[in-house]
Amino acid sequence: MAAIEIKNLWKEYGQDVVLERLNAKVEEGEFVTVVGASGCGKTTFLKMMLGTESPTRGQLLLDGKPIPDEPDETRGIVFQRYSVLPHLTAVENVMLAGELESSRWLGRVFGGKRRALREQAEEMLASVGLDQALGKYPHELSGGMQQRLALAQALIKKPRILLLDEPFGALDPGIRRDMHELVLDLWRKQDLTVFMITHDLAEGFFLGTRMWVFDKERLDPQTPGSYGARITYDLPVGNSDKGTLQSITQSVDSTARVLGA
Amino acid sequence: MKKLINRQAGPVGRWALGLLPFVILAVLYLVASDARLDANPNDKLLPSLSSFSDAIERMAFEPSKRSGEYTLLVDTLASLQRLGIGVAISALIGLVVGIATGSLPLFRAGISPLVTGMSLVPPLAILPILFIIFGLGELAKVMLIIIGITPFLIRDLQQRAEEIPTEQIIKMQTLGANTWQIITRLVWPQIMPRLLSSVRLSLGSAWLFLIAAEAIAATEGLGYRIFLVRRYLAMDVILPYVAWITFLAFALDFALKRYSQWRYPWFHGAQ
Ligand SMILES: Nc1ncnc2c1ncn2[C@@H]1O[C@H](COP(=O)(O)OP(=O)(O)OP(=O)(O)O)[C@@H](O)[C@H]1O
Ligand SMILES: [Mg+2]
């Protein structure tokens, strides 16, 4: 059975159709990159996966059951920003998940248990290259380091599904490439199912196992809200040629122009 | 020469510019006081420096003839105790209710209208009611401070709690937190420095309510003393008392600010 099954999924806000007739199956361990024009509903899709928005029609199944309609530990997330807690140091941010789990009331642990959690957290931070920043607060870290920290914090919880909403959108291209390497590396080691939204089409082409393009098949320039976006391309990563990239780019660009107008 | 809008004072210049108005005011006062005392040596409105120092000596450094206590000390302790209890209780209520209404929509729906309504009642207008209910003792004065500043604190802290990015609340849930843990490990620690700054803002009103209550019914206290000696037009006591209250207010504010910077570096660093 597929880990995630999307069956005829619709999302509408009042009159505006954002997503329509989405159908897909995602297996455990896949890495899906999601690309598409700004405003076409990528974040909305991720919110439905997360449980903070619910579908207006259709079903979104996790292991055959409707996905819980509030966030929980099965689905980890890294946002573009505000993902880490500003009042905790880097190592405290990463220890948090363990503390919350072992102490339902206090949310804090002490003594030997704390040392064990700290050790794990330090290991995790080392694996994202933050071993020099253990005691620093997020505001003392650069944007890239904050996102690494957010990754470490989400991954130590070992979520079934990791959702990434343009986590590196605000970073320099060079650093972004490093971060992609890091994510791919962690994904291979941890056996996660990943959904990652990115703005950069070419990037999506080379990351992970599968790329989805969200785009509006039908587009009414006067009322762009009357039709929703669908998954117009569902490509295995690695065996795509230049022509496909070009035609996707063209189609996404023209949608972007209408949505941006 | 640079445009005026771009000109900054250097470190020395800043001090000099800051002190200048004080010096001017002091000189103006001395000149005016001298002129009036020349015309009438018994004038009480603008006492001379020597009568100030006499009054300060009498109030602060000599035991009172009637009770054998140092008047200024007794007044200060009484007032600070009322202020401290009143502000501490208000802060506690503000913290608990503000967090509850700011982070739990169901609480907000139930309580916010009441708090908004209460905050519109002018506290001084219900001072007589407080004296009737709680008598003329300490309780009524503390209650006035509490009633005066708690609605503001609740509303301010509720707003601060609502401002915590939803991303972080979602994040906590994906890390496995339940509602209680979200409150104790996310909302509460993030609200604490904001509580301190709200308290700093509300201290001005707290002093106002304290002095008003002491003026009407008290047997000691800074506000009580000022209103007592007013009957004898004792400006030589009133003005030093006002300066002393101002200094206390400044010191409290400064201490809270420093404490916040020391205790919550992440809050002040990120701003
Ligand atoms: N709460 C909401 N109420 C009404 N409309 C909404 C709401 N949230 C999103 N939308 C609309 O849904 C559409 C899709 O938004 P979404 O944020 O999913 O786009 P996106 O693909 O993530 O864009 P970007 O690449 O810019 O992040 C937009 O037109 C937006 O205006
Ligand atoms: Mg988005």
Side-chain angles (χ1 to χ4, degrees):
Chain A
M1 187 176 54
I4 289 158
E5 223 173 317
I6 304 167
K7 286 187 180 165
N8 192 32
L9 191 72
W10 288 65
K11 180 69 191 177
E12 290 146 313
Y13 288 111
Q15 292 289 309
D16 289 344
V17 187
V18 177
L19 297 169
E20 63 175 63
R21 294 176 292 144
L22 298 193
N23 285 291
K25 283 183 182 171
V26 177
E27 302 294 333
E28 188 94 52
E30 283 200 73
F31 190 130
V32 183
T33 25
V34 181
V35 298
S38 185
C40 74
K42 305 180 297 291
T43 299
T44 305
F45 172 73
L46 221 64
K47 282 182 179 162
M48 288 194 282
M49 295 281 303
L50 192 59
T52 55
E53 290 282 354
S54 41
T56 29
R57 277 182 253 174
Q59 283 185 303
L60 189 51
L61 304 176
L62 170 63
D63 299 328
K65 289 188 281 293
I67 216 156
D69 62 356
E70 60 176 2
D72 63 26
E73 58 256 57
T74 54
R75 290 148 291 159
I77 184 145
V78 176
F79 298 101
Q80 192 163 2
R81 48 201 286 241
Y82 299 132
S83 283
V84 291
L85 307 180
H87 63 288
L88 299 178
T89 60
V91 73
E92 286 170 345
N93 260 293
V94 181
M95 287 165 66
L96 184 61
E99 287 194 281
L100 294 173
E101 190 175 353
S102 22
S103 162
R104 291 314 278 171
W105 279 99
L106 274 182
R108 285 172 195 281
V109 294
F110 306 95
K113 230 178 191 171
R114 186 173 186 83
R115 274 194 296 280
L117 276 182
R118 199 181 157 95
E119 239 162 69
Q120 285 171 20
E122 286 175 3
E123 227 167 87
M124 191 72 213
L125 281 169
S127 75
V128 299
L130 283 181
D131 27 5
Q132 299 302 317
L134 300 178
K136 289 205 166 132
Y137 286 103
H139 76 266
E140 299 170 297
L141 303 177
S142 71
M145 290 160 92
Q146 286 187 22
Q147 293 306 79
R148 284 168 197 263
L149 177 57
L151 274 176
Q153 184 186 41
L155 286 177
I156 201 156
K157 189 68 195 167
K158 300 215 168 22
R160 293 273 321 269
I161 300 166
L162 180 63
L163 305 169
L164 306 169
D165 191 353
E166 299 187 46
F168 315 126
L171 306 180
D172 288 342
I175 300 177
R176 196 151 73 209
R177 220 167 301 124
D178 295 347
M179 298 295 281
H180 286 150
E181 287 300 314
L182 176 66
V183 171
L184 285 173
D185 193 43
L186 294 166
W187 163 68
R188 278 185 211 110
K189 280 188 198 137
Q190 282 215 9
D191 212 20
L192 301 157
T193 308
V194 179
F195 287 84
M196 175 161 126
I197 296 179
T198 155
H199 243 113
D200 190 338
L201 258 167
E203 220 169 71
F205 248 74
F206 302 103
L207 267 172
T209 60
R210 190 169 170 185
M211 181 176 77
W212 289 354
V213 181
F214 279 30
D215 204 356
K216 294 190 189 242
E217 283 177 333
R218 293 173 294 175
L219 191 57
D220 180 346
Q222 262 65 48
T223 51
S226 45
Y227 302 107
R230 306 196 58 199
I231 302 179
T232 53
Y233 287 85
D234 183 347
L235 304 167
V237 161
N239 349 334
S240 326
D241 54 276
K242 268 226 159 68
T244 327
L245 175 59
Q246 246 157 27
S247 71
I248 294 174
T249 311
Q250 266 167 17
S251 146
V252 167
D253 280 353
S254 67
T255 308
R257 245 170 262 131
V258 173
L259 288 181
Chain B
M1 200 146 90
K2 275 192 189 173
K3 290 190 259 319
L4 188 58
I5 204 163
N6 291 325
R7 290 177 62 188
Q8 311 266 353
V12 181
R14 201 173 350 242
W15 273 97
L17 283 176
L19 277 176
L20 191 65
F22 289 98
V23 174
I24 293 178
L25 281 177
V27 169
L28 280 179
Y29 179 88
L30 289 179
V31 171
S33 159
D34 264 0
R36 283 187 73 105
L37 288 171
D38 258 355
N40 171 13
N42 290 326
D43 181 67
K44 295 203 135 188
L45 200 59
L46 302 179
S48 67
L49 282 185
S50 63
S51 32
F52 279 138
S53 65
D54 286 350
I56 293 172
E57 179 78 28
R58 194 157 22 91
M59 306 306 289
F61 302 110
E62 284 169 11
S64 134
K65 286 191 194 76
R66 244 185 307 142
S67 58
E69 286 165 330
Y70 294 90
T71 314
L72 181 69
L73 183 68
V74 172
D75 287 342
T76 305
L77 289 181
S79 289
L80 283 184
Q81 187 184 351
R82 289 168 192 143
L83 191 79
I85 295 176
V87 171
I89 292 177
S90 308
L92 198 69
I93 299 174
L95 189 66
V96 172
V97 181
I99 285 182
T101 56
S103 38
L104 303 172
L106 288 179
F107 258 83
R108 178 151 66 240
I111 292 181
S112 276
L114 174 71
V115 175
T116 308
M118 272 180 51
S119 70
L120 294 174
V121 177
L124 285 178
I126 54 173
L127 185 55
I129 305 179
L130 295 181
F131 282 135
I132 292 169
I133 298 178
F134 299 110
L136 297 180
E138 292 301 296
L139 191 57
K141 299 188 246 324
V142 171
M143 279 307 289
L144 180 66
I145 298 178
I146 295 175
I147 289 177
I149 66 173
T150 305
F152 162 78
L153 285 175
I154 292 178
R155 283 183 3 151
D156 201 45
L157 290 172
Q158 170 185 334
Q159 219 165 13
R160 299 286 98 76
E162 284 176 49
E163 277 168 15
I164 293 176
T166 13
E167 283 91 342
Q168 291 178 18
I169 291 167
I170 293 172
K171 184 84 217 189
M172 287 294 285
Q173 298 179 58
T174 63
L175 295 179
N178 56 35
T179 302
W180 173 249
Q181 290 176 322
I182 293 176
I183 287 179
T184 53
R185 297 276 345 240
L186 173 72
V187 183
W188 181 57
Q190 293 212 15
I191 282 294
M192 279 311 285
R194 295 172 169 94
L195 172 71
L196 289 180
S197 61
S198 313
V199 164
R200 283 174 59 199
L201 276 180
S202 68
L203 271 180
S205 329
W207 277 106
L208 168 74
F209 296 126
L210 172 72
I211 291 172
E214 285 180 344
I216 295 174
T219 51
E220 75 286 287
L222 298 166
Y224 161 76
R225 193 69 53 197
I226 292 181
F227 277 81
L228 180 73
V229 301
R230 175 195 58 126
R231 290 182 215 152
Y232 320 114
L233 292 180
M235 286 296 265
D236 54 343
V237 175
I238 295 179
L239 286 179
Y241 259 69
V242 171
W244 177 237
I245 292 174
T246 310
F247 170 76
L248 287 176
F250 169 79
L252 271 179
D253 184 66
F254 185 78
L256 282 174
K257 181 167 135 192
R258 275 301 148 94
Y259 173 75
S260 181
Q261 282 169 345
W262 167 76
R263 182 69 182 74
Y264 306 104
W266 55 267
F267 180 72
H268 298 275
Q271 273 183 338

